[in-house]
């Protein structure tokens, strides 16, 4: 990837995120062309120095960033467009199968295709906190104006997979915090009081991940800290406490049910990451 910030960029799709992307490129000094079905959405960007493409065809060519509602909208919009000579960077949310299908479609139409995922909110675009994931051919242009850019590999589906894996992590942590908050509220402890303790617990658990990852990759789960059957007893307390307090117990019951299945399969003496076997099951 070059360090040049003068690469001309086109941004197609000017919702909240697309507008933030275009503004970040402008701020970094990239000549920026924009296009949107509703042209008026480009007015503020044009006032800041962007060029409004009169048609979608005029926006394509060189490095073109697409940020639309879904992959179907991308295919519909670009279906009749000429893509020869275009490096298409699709930052539209979707799944890995859609990413791979769109990559094949774009390449068939002459485009060099990268798929991407934005792990950020619009207001953080242009800062180091904005994480931009890319997969497909390694880019030979600079997208650093958007934030912290990571190229994950040649498989165009990887960015979408990482995106969903990250969302899984985010919602799981938040749901666990909400469960604990609901329990403590029954004793008059407010969320603001619990939050620092919960944050400390979450940070401590995060420190376990490299060692647990090593066990998963080796397929060996020695109980160096605690055996799963011991953890399951603590899970039972979590279910019982939730029910006694009148708090929804669906989440702790789900966690314990997965542990119980693993123990029934003979993994009770192994360490917690052995539950990867349960997560790998389709459930059907």
């Amino acid at each position: 990837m070059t360090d040049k910030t003068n690469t001309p960029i086109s941004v197609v799709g000017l919702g909240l995120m697309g507008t933030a992307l275009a503004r970040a490129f402008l701020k970094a000094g990239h000549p920026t062309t924009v296009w949107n079905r509703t042209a008026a959405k480009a007015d503020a960007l044009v006032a800041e120095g962007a060029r409004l493409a009169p048609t979608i065809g005029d926006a394509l060519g060189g490095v073109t960033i697409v940020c639309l509602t879904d992959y179907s909208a991308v295919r519909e919009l670009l279906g009749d467009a000429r893509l020869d000579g275009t490096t298409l960077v699709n930052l539209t949310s979707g799944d890995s199968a859609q990413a791979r299908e769109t990559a094949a479609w774009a390449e068939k139409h002459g485009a060099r295709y990268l798929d991407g995922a934005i792990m950020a909110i619009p207001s953080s675009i242009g800062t180091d906190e904005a994480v931009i994931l890319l997969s497909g051919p390694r880019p030979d242009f600079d997208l650093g104006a958007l934030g912290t850019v990571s190229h994950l590999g040649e498989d165009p589906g990887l960015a979408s997979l990482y995106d969903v894996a990250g969302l899984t992590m985010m919602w799981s942590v938040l749901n666990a915090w909400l469960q604990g908050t609901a329990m403590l509220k029954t004793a008059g402890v407010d969320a603001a009081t619990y939050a620092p303790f919960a944050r400390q617990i979450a940070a401590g658990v995060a420190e376990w991940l490299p060692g647990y990852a090593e066990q998963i990759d080796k397929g060996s789960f020695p109980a160096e800290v605690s055996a799963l059957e011991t953890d399951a007893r603590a899970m039972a307390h979590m279910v019982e406490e939730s029910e006694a307090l009148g708090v929804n117990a669906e989440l702790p019951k789900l966690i314990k049910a997965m542990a119980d299945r693993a123990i029934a399969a003979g993994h009770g003496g192994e360490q917690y990451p052995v539950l990867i076997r349960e997560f790998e099951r389709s459930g059907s």
Side-chain angles (χ1 to χ4, degrees):
M1 182 181 294
T2 67
D3 293 327
K4 295 179 180 179
T5 57
N6 60 353
T7 305
I9 302 286
S10 293
V11 178
V12 173
L14 299 178
L16 292 175
M17 185 61 76
T19 297
L21 299 176
R23 183 161 285 128
F25 284 125
L26 282 169
K27 186 176 179 180
H30 290 273
T32 305
T33 298
V34 295
W35 184 89
N36 193 72
R37 286 187 190 273
T38 305
K41 285 191 173 183
D43 289 348
L45 292 168
V46 170
E48 295 169 30
R51 181 184 79 88
L52 176 62
T55 68
I56 179 62
D58 292 317
L60 300 175
V63 179
T64 300
I65 311 293
V66 179
C67 187
L68 300 176
T69 54
D70 53 37
Y71 280 73
S72 295
V74 173
R75 296 279 288 272
E76 178 185 353
L77 180 65
L78 302 182
D80 297 326
R82 295 177 61 104
L83 299 178
D84 293 338
T86 299
T87 296
L88 194 63
V89 184
N90 187 11
L91 298 183
T92 300
S93 295
D95 61 41
S96 57
Q98 291 173 319
R100 294 179 182 118
E101 290 168 1
T102 305
W105 173 86
E107 289 163 6
K108 183 178 179 180
H109 285 75
R112 186 170 183 264
Y113 181 88
L114 286 89
D115 203 86
I118 303 172
M119 308 295 288
I121 58 176
S123 61
S124 69
I125 295 297
T127 72
D128 291 342
E129 284 73 34
V131 174
I132 312 297
L133 306 177
L134 294 177
S135 55
R138 184 170 291 278
D140 55 2
F141 48 87
D142 183 22
L143 290 180
L146 302 181
T148 303
V149 180
S150 296
H151 181 255
L152 303 173
E154 297 291 320
D155 176 359
L158 280 175
S160 291
L161 274 176
Y162 266 76
D163 183 25
V164 175
L167 292 174
T168 301
M169 188 80 181
M170 178 186 74
W171 284 322
S172 295
V173 171
L174 287 174
N175 286 337
W177 175 69
L178 291 171
Q179 178 79 30
T181 298
M183 295 170 74
L184 284 166
K185 281 185 69 177
T186 66
V189 179
D190 61 22
T193 300
Y194 174 49
F197 175 78
R199 184 176 182 180
Q200 183 179 18
I201 294 294
V205 172
E207 293 298 317
W208 303 347
L209 298 184
Y212 280 8
E214 185 176 346
Q215 287 194 344
I216 290 171
D217 290 342
K218 288 181 177 178
S220 176
F221 308 94
E224 298 167 348
V225 177
S226 176
L228 182 60
E229 57 193 6
T230 301
D231 294 334
R233 288 195 286 273
M235 293 173 192
H237 299 325
M238 186 168 59
V239 173
E240 292 160 4
E241 185 75 78
S242 295
E243 291 179 332
L245 295 173
V247 170
N248 190 311
E250 290 175 88
L251 179 58
K253 283 181 177 179
L254 172 62
I255 295 169
K256 187 173 185 301
M258 296 181 76
D260 288 344
R261 287 197 298 268
I263 292 168
H267 300 297
E270 297 176 89
Q271 195 157 272
Y272 194 85
V274 74
L275 277 181
I276 189 67
R277 303 285 188 251
E278 289 300 310
F279 283 96
E280 289 170 341
R281 286 162 28 99
S282 68
S284 58

